[in-house]
Amino acid sequence: MAENQLLNVGEYTPLGKVEIAPEVLEVIAGIATTEIPGVSSMRGNFATGVAERLGKKAHGKGIKVELSNDTVLIDVFIVVDYGHSVPNIAEKIQLNVRQAIENMTAIDIKEINVHVVGVHMEHSTEEKSEK
């Protein structure tokens, strides 16, 4: 994906044109994903991990947006909480991300692919004290 690639929204009008950077779609998709119960965290790369440790919140963490030939493909990388249904969480993420992006930008998404990259095992303090 090119660094300066922007997505045109709507037609050119006498007032000008509207362009949206892919990073905006990443932030919208990231926030929409974290709203779903059962999503423990998002999986980012090394740079987002370092940035978060320095206090910067990375809302686009775990989201990859690809723009090609007027189509938008989104990949979501998540860690789920143990005990939740993966297919149900994935479907809810796809619906919530699509609705959020369409409502905020009027962009039609071709695909939203959910990648489960881990399972978060919750350990209660009672279990830890018994060991």
Side-chain angles (χ1 to χ4, degrees):
M1 182 173 69
E3 280 295 315
N4 59 1
Q5 188 175 7
L6 296 174
L7 189 61
N8 289 322
V9 179
E11 299 292 321
Y12 184 81
T13 66
L15 295 174
K17 62 181 176 177
V18 177
E19 295 178 329
I20 297 177
E23 292 81 13
V24 174
L25 300 179
E26 289 174 0
V27 170
I28 294 169
I31 293 171
T33 299
T34 57
E35 291 175 348
I36 303 300
V39 175
S40 176
S41 63
M42 306 286 290
R43 217 15 98 82
N45 57 22
F46 177 75
T48 56
V50 171
E52 282 188 337
R53 290 192 177 136
L54 295 174
K56 183 181 179 196
K57 184 71 174 161
H59 290 292
K61 174 182 174 183
I63 305 291
K64 180 182 170 191
V65 175
E66 293 182 33
L67 306 176
S68 60
N69 301 336
D70 297 329
T71 62
V72 179
L73 306 172
I74 298 177
D75 289 298
V76 180
F77 298 88
I78 63 165
V79 175
V80 297
D81 288 325
Y82 179 78
H84 287 83
S85 169
V86 172
N88 289 342
I89 290 174
E91 183 179 10
K92 288 177 184 177
I93 289 171
Q94 290 170 324
L95 293 172
N96 203 35
V97 168
R98 181 178 303 278
Q99 182 181 15
I101 290 177
E102 286 179 354
N103 287 343
M104 294 181 74
T105 65
I107 293 174
D108 187 35
I109 307 297
K110 181 179 179 186
E111 288 182 8
I112 301 170
N113 302 307
V114 178
H115 306 274
V116 179
V117 295
V119 176
H120 181 252
M121 304 294 285
E122 186 69 36
H123 294 288
S124 68
T125 55
E126 186 177 300
E127 287 178 320
K128 290 179 183 176
S129 63
E130 291 176 3
K131 291 182 180 179

